[in-house]
Every structure is written in C-alpha cells, then in structure tokens.
Amino acid sequence: PLTHPAMASNKEADEKVSTGLSGKVRSYNGSKGYGFITGQGDFADVMFSRTELPSDSKEVRGKFLEGRCVTFDAVIKPDGRAKAVAVRIVASDEAGVGNAGIVKHYSPKFQNGIVASHSLPDAEVRFRLSDFSSAVSAGASLKDELVIFETRELPDGKIVVSTIQFQTAEIAQRVNYSLQQQLMAMQYYGMSAGWSGYQGKGHGKPRKAVDVAVTATGQSLEGTIKSYNALKGWGLISSPEIPSGGTGKAGDVFFMRQNLPTEAQNAANSGQKVRYDLYKTEDGKCRAQNIAFI
C-alpha cells in the first residue's frame, strides 16, 4: 500500500545540522579513512570520514592532517552523536606544512604546470618540475594527480610553488611506473627499426603498437604476465629464465596482442601464468610469441 508523504518515516528529519564550525584535527588514519576533530562545546570530539574531505585531499595521511585547522558542518544524530561533514582544510603558509591540491595542467614540453587547492579557492598556482621534492621524469603524466605543495610570493606579488610532492608514495610509484612502461615499449620497438608505435600525434596521444621483425631462438619458457594494455596492444611477461629485460627490470619480456590466445586479447590478463616461445628483434631485444596460458 502507498504511504502518504506526511506519514512516511524520515530519518533525516530527526537529525540536527550545525554549520560554520571550526576546530583542529586531533587524529586521522589515512589507511582506514577516518579521524577526529577537536572543536568546541557539543563538538569537542567529532568523528569524520575520508568521504567528507574535499576531492583534492582524499589521499592525505595523518602526518599531514593532524593538527591542521579545519572548518566543517556537523550532523547530530538522534542518539546524540555528532559527525563532521563538508570538512575543509584551512590554508597554511607555515614552512613545512603545505596545502593539499590537484594538478590542473602540466606541460611535458615546458616542464611546468598549474596546481589548485580548495584551501586557496581564488588561486591557480604555477609550479616547475624541478619544484618536486623527489625526482619525477619530465615526460610523466601529472594532470589530475593529488599533491601537497608549499608556496612563496614573488617580488611582483605572484604566488608560486616553492616545493611540491605527491600525497602518497603509491601515487609517485604509479606515475613513474606508467612512464617506465611507455619508455620500455619505445625501447623494445626500436627507434631505428621502423619505429612508429609510440610517437605522439596531436596532443601527444600515443598510437597503437606496430610489430617489428623477430627471429626465433628455439627456446620455450614460462613466466607471468606482469602487465597488459589491450587498448595499446602490448604487455610484459615477467620470466625468471630471462636474465635481463633490456632497459627494463630483469626478466621482463615484451609481447604483442596478437601473440595472446584469441579469447584473451581484450581481457585483463595481469597475473596469468603463461608458456611462450622466445624470439629476438634485430637489435637483440627479447620478444614473446605463441603465448599459451598454463
């Protein structure tokens, strides 16, 4: 039977909302995704979750967030418990503290870009690749990556980045690993051997891989698919029987989409154990062909 709206139970109607509150983050566990804010009065100890942080701060850890001033709203549930929502981190110009943000633009050609932060709502701050506190390759794709950055003011009044880093080590590893895969693909194809597989076109978007001539070695080996990109048409097999993977890590063997079983050419195959025939290109790089799942 239908229930008249006036008769329907509304849980949210029993909740009270307080807005415009402020406090300091007492603790935050980035791995578990929750923390506590020390406020005033009824909000002396309020829990919040990662989902209530701004989108440019989702990966910050406790070391960054603890002790930071924040603003928030709070929902008081019928049982009297309060939960902080719409948490925003107050900007800081204190040395060594920094602001959470996101890379809005990056130019590999000029090695500079723009970062934005909800803590600095009216500013898009420029940075240089050399501002990163740890090494980042010039060709890395940095757009939309989450970062923490400090700023400084130039004599003309402009605000620029003084130092910048990724919000987590995992982000840094992913950015550099993605670039490493592209460079390995370029090296495997060979710039002098009819290379056309990974040269940029238009705005630097890669074209699909193109195969090159190979020669059989007579060896049949086993390994595990380390990575595979069905869109670009290539992947890597980690094989303990390969002592060297050229410019990549030891044991990495390159393969093309057509060397996979037909039913697996558009699938996510990472972690799959395989047997393959070892071939080599004209410049001696290893290639896997006739791949079979085991």
Side-chain angles (χ1 to χ4, degrees), residues 270-290:
S270 297
Q272 174 66 50
K273 294 186 179 299
V274 296
R275 181 179 293 109
Y276 65 93
D277 293 334
L278 182 65
Y279 282 67
K280 289 194 175 182
T281 63
E282 293 179 356
D283 56 0
K285 294 181 175 62
C286 296
R287 299 286 291 269
Q289 292 201 9
N290 305 321

Side-chain angles (χ1 to χ4, degrees), residues 124-186:
E124 288 192 332
V125 188
R126 293 190 175 275
F127 71 91
R128 300 169 300 177
L129 188 67
S130 58
D131 293 328
F132 272 87
S133 57
S134 58
V136 178
S137 299
S141 177
L142 300 181
K143 188 177 184 297
D144 295 330
E145 297 296 349
L146 298 180
V147 295
I148 295 171
F149 64 98
E150 296 179 50
T151 61
R152 60 188 176 91
E153 185 175 353
L154 299 178
D156 61 4
K158 292 182 179 179
I159 304 297
V160 297
V161 167
S162 59
T163 183
I164 186 171
Q165 66 185 69
F166 296 111
Q167 288 185 13
T168 66
E170 289 77 12
I171 295 176
Q173 291 171 357
R174 173 172 50 76
V175 168
N176 286 318
Y177 179 68
S178 176
L179 178 64
Q180 181 191 48
Q181 284 189 307
Q182 294 183 26
L183 294 175
M184 288 174 67
M186 293 172 65

Side-chain angles (χ1 to χ4, degrees), residues 26 35 53 55 72 132-133 138 150 174 201 216 224 236 278 290:
R26 173 172 66 81
L53 291 172
S55 59
F72 62 98
F132 272 87
S133 57
E150 296 179 50
R174 173 172 50 76
K201 181 180 181 181
T224 303
L236 297 172
L278 182 65
N290 305 321

Side-chain angles (χ1 to χ4, degrees), residues 36-102:
F36 294 88
I37 297 170
T38 299
Q40 296 82 36
D42 293 336
F43 310 103
D45 196 36
V46 189
M47 181 181 177
F48 71 96
S49 64
R50 175 188 283 116
T51 56
E52 299 302 334
L53 291 172
S55 59
D56 62 12
S57 308
K58 297 294 188 185
E59 297 300 326
V60 296
R61 295 296 185 252
K63 184 178 180 180
F64 169 82
L65 204 51
E66 290 171 359
R68 293 297 298 265
C69 293
V70 295
T71 61
F72 62 98
D73 298 338
V75 176
I76 304 176
K77 298 183 177 297
D79 61 4
R81 291 181 301 171
K83 179 183 178 182
V85 298
V87 179
R88 299 179 70 82
I89 306 168
V90 177
S92 173
D93 56 5
E94 182 182 343
V97 177
N99 298 291
I102 185 171

